Amino acid sequence: MTDRKGITPAQQDAIERIEHWGAHNYLPLPVVIESGEGAWLTDIDGNRYLDFLSAYSAINFGHAHPLLVKAVADQLTRVTVTSRAVFSATYGPFVQGLAELCGKEMVLPMNTGVEAVESVSYT
């Protein structure tokens, strides 16, 4: 394990558990986040940080916004997620609104780029 000076025993325990049991694909900062609100994150020791990473680009609207939490909770009472192997009642209005907003004929929401390669035209 990498030597991490100046961290608390609680942080050390959390980091060691993650490094032991989790696959290594990043070299994270020695900060163990427990919660977030708006643009602020709080670690397990109560220290606050301004979130410049914005939860990566897929969810860069901050943390625990009440309107977004309500929207997610409402959606979870209906259906968590559907595969693109079936049609979704909310997907059509979403892509229409996004296409119109962006001035495009079609849009493809994706998070990795693999979807772009897998996409086909039926015309």
Side-chain angles (χ1 to χ4, degrees):
M1 179 176 147
T2 311
D3 182 30
R4 292 185 167 96
K5 295 180 173 134
I7 63 173
T8 66
Q11 291 172 339
Q12 186 67 31
D13 179 60
I15 291 169
E16 286 178 2
R17 184 171 297 172
I18 291 166
E19 287 189 345
H20 177 80
W21 295 102
H24 301 165
N25 63 338
Y26 288 97
L27 183 58
L29 299 170
V31 175
V32 182
I33 299 301
E34 186 172 53
S35 63
E37 183 176 346
W40 293 95
L41 299 171
T42 304
D43 72 11
I44 60 176
D45 296 316
N47 300 305
R48 289 181 41 141
Y49 304 86
L50 182 58
D51 184 5
F52 286 106
L53 294 177
S54 298
Y56 294 71
S57 64
I59 50 174
N60 60 2
F61 42 74
H63 305 276
H65 190 285
L67 293 176
L68 296 175
V69 170
K70 182 182 180 331
V72 168
D74 290 348
Q75 181 61 43
L76 289 173
T77 66
R78 291 190 296 276
V79 62
T80 304
V81 67
T82 58
S83 165
R84 291 284 288 123
V86 297
F87 292 97
S88 163
T90 57
Y91 187 69
F94 171 71
V95 292
Q96 178 183 357
L98 184 59
E100 290 172 350
L101 176 70
C102 297
K104 301 294 181 186
E105 292 180 27
M106 295 179 146
V107 295
L108 178 64
M110 61 181 123
N111 61 359
T112 65
V114 172
E115 294 90 343
V117 175
E118 294 174 339
S119 296
V120 297
S121 174
Y122 293 107
T123 58

